[in-house]
Amino acid sequence: MEISASDRELITVMRQYFAAKSELEGLKEHLEAARQAAGEAVGVFYDPRQNVEHAADLERSHRLRGEMASLMKRAEAWGRTASTDDRHDRSQAEPEDWQSFEKRADSFFGS
């Protein structure tokens, strides 16, 4: 099975997505543990303006979410393109398939 350049691009995008997701999950666990240890309220702790100590991690988590959303949009665009290409390929193949079926039926039933 040969992988097209488009398929390789999707694989790359999805690898980046899952790497960002993994990093975000680790970051969220770290931040939540720090919040609980500090006994801070959620609204205060997760506000980078009020939590200078963890502001860089909070901003990184926001960037990762944005990166994941962007990567997923790229994957969705790939999916729409692939789906359109598949429909186009099938619509072009159907008349030939139908014609060959008709020829076989004609020869079988003696039309």
Side-chain angles (χ1 to χ4, degrees), residues 7-54:
D7 291 345
R8 281 192 294 277
E9 180 183 344
L10 175 66
I11 291 167
T12 299
V13 165
M14 294 312 298
R15 282 183 178 157
Q16 291 171 342
Y17 174 86
F18 287 113
K21 182 178 180 183
S22 177
E23 183 179 346
L24 178 60
E25 287 171 357
L27 194 54
K28 285 170 39 178
E29 288 174 12
H30 165 73
L31 287 168
E32 185 56 21
R35 184 193 72 79
Q36 289 177 1
E40 292 278 344
V42 171
V44 173
F45 184 86
Y46 287 102
D47 182 350
R49 295 168 295 183
Q50 295 183 47
N51 186 350
V52 177
E53 181 181 349
H54 293 98

Side-chain angles (χ1 to χ4, degrees), residues 2-5 11 14-15 19-20 26 47-48 53 79 85 87 94-95 106 109-110:
E2 193 171 317
I3 297 177
S4 71
I11 291 167
M14 294 312 298
R15 282 183 178 157
D47 182 350
E53 181 181 349
D85 290 347
R87 281 194 303 269
E94 286 174 3
D106 287 347
F109 292 111

